[in-house]
Amino acid sequence: MKVLPIYVYDHAILKKKAQKVEQMDESTRIFIEDMKHTMHNAEGIGLAANQVGSPLAITVIDISPVEGYESTKPLVMINPEITYYSDEESDYEEGCLSLPHVRELVIRPEAIQVSYFDEHIKPQTMQADGLLARVMQHEIDHLNGIYFTDRLSQLKRTLLQAKLRRISKGETSADYTIVLPDGSIISGDDEE
Ligand code: NI
């Protein structure tokens, strides 16, 4: 398994809507394993394929490292679609591997229903709430070219602009290897 470099703000691929996966082949299977490995290596709890440079509509999620969610099973979601949002909303401080050191409270629906294909290409429908529903929404947003910061108020986004611009210029640090908008690669602090 490979650790893939993670694309950061504001690389063009992070603004693109993902393409549906039409068929599962060996290279896609290997890619999904690499995505899981990359997410765990970066200590993330979710990762979307465009964050590692692929246009495919795939996300991997594993919230089991978070206290209180140890028994939550990891998920692979292919072509996910949210089919229901609860009226009830909640807020939670989100971060993103593509936005190192940015953390903000984001308001989202508390519960969702989502349809997707699992890694065996079996159709699944799942209801989720709490942290799992939040991470699903965050990752599916990525597949639609949306950052969590796009969900903030205009004021908060304005306040974040300089910080985001510094990330895009590589004036940031991460334990994992990142790809800047111009394609240059910066090795992670943990790597050679
Ligand atoms: Ni993210």
Side-chain angles (χ1 to χ4, degrees):
M1 277 186 294
K2 276 186 298 196
V3 172
L4 305 167
I6 294 177
Y7 289 57
V8 298
Y9 183 90
D10 198 19
H11 195 286
I13 195 155
L14 294 169
K15 294 299 284 180
K16 280 209 187 102
K17 201 171 153 54
Q19 296 163 12
K20 284 222 162 108
V21 176
E22 304 284 359
Q23 58 169 45
M24 196 65 163
D25 54 22
E26 191 54 22
S27 68
T28 307
R29 258 186 284 273
I30 292 168
F31 174 66
I32 289 170
E33 291 309 307
D34 290 343
M35 279 183 75
K36 291 183 199 168
H37 190 48
T38 301
M39 170 178 68
H40 289 135
N41 176 70
E43 295 180 9
I45 55 175
L47 186 72
N50 54 352
Q51 291 184 275
V52 286
S54 162
L56 297 175
I58 301 173
T59 174
V60 296
I61 292 173
D62 183 3
I63 63 169
S64 68
V66 181
E67 206 186 330
Y69 293 92
E70 293 83 354
S71 60
T72 307
K73 288 199 172 65
L75 278 171
V76 175
M77 304 178 106
I78 298 168
N79 303 344
E81 302 263 6
I82 297 174
T83 53
Y84 163 84
Y85 294 93
S86 65
D87 290 332
E88 190 194 346
E89 294 181 320
S90 59
D91 59 14
Y92 188 88
E93 198 180 61
E94 294 190 21
C96 180
L97 296 174
S98 294
L99 301 168
H101 309 294
V102 178
R103 299 198 71 85
E104 292 289 339
L105 273 187
V106 184
I107 300 166
R108 296 187 187 270
E110 162 68 17
I112 58 169
Q113 180 173 292
V114 60
S115 297
Y116 61 98
F117 292 88
D118 66 18
E119 54 197 316
H120 311 293
I121 305 297
K122 263 176 79 186
Q124 303 282 353
T125 298
M126 189 190 276
Q127 270 126 32
D129 60 12
L131 182 62
L132 186 59
R134 177 166 294 274
V135 176
M136 286 174 173
Q137 291 176 77
H138 177 121
E139 300 312 328
I140 293 168
D141 269 356
H142 273 304
L143 297 178
N144 288 306
I146 298 167
Y147 296 99
F148 81 83
T149 49
D150 296 331
R151 300 274 179 206
L152 301 173
S153 67
Q154 181 65 52
L155 174 64
K156 273 195 174 173
R157 275 186 283 147
T158 304
L159 292 172
L160 273 174
Q161 254 169 26
K163 199 170 186 179
L164 295 181
R165 214 171 299 125
R166 283 198 295 275
I167 294 172
S168 70
K169 289 193 266 177
E171 294 163 13
T172 185
S173 66
D175 293 339
Y176 44 90
T177 298
I178 59 173
V179 183
L180 302 183
D182 67 4
S184 53
I185 293 172
I186 301 179
S187 291
D189 297 340
D190 278 359
E191 289 153 43
E192 287 295 289

